[in-house]
Amino acid sequence: MIGTLISIILLLIVLGVILWAVQQLLPLVPMPHPIGLIINVLITVIVVIVVVYIIAGLLGVVTPVKF
């Protein structure tokens, strides 16, 4: 149980760093404003879905996440 919690915490840290890096680097790429906004929203939605899936796995709603 402790190993699973540590794995989940590490996964959430990695996802947070990736989300932060994308949000920092996205303005550096020249593109129209709506496309950058759409990409930012899509990445945020994907991270939220992954986090919800992990939490649902812990609660037993879906098959648990195995590392």
Side-chain angles (χ1 to χ4, degrees):
M1 181 71 178
I2 297 292
T4 304
L5 290 176
I6 291 173
S7 297
I8 290 171
I9 290 171
L10 289 175
L11 179 65
L12 292 176
I13 289 172
V14 168
L15 285 173
V17 169
I18 290 171
L19 179 62
W20 173 81
V22 168
Q23 288 180 343
Q24 296 297 316
L25 295 175
L26 196 58
L28 298 176
V29 178
M31 66 179 77
H33 176 69
I35 294 175
L37 184 63
I38 290 170
I39 291 173
N40 197 6
V41 169
L42 283 176
I43 291 173
T44 304
V45 167
I46 290 170
V47 169
V48 168
I49 289 172
V50 169
V51 170
V52 168
Y53 183 76
I54 290 172
I55 292 172
L58 284 176
L59 296 176
V61 176
V62 296
T63 56
V65 178
K66 297 188 192 245
F67 296 100

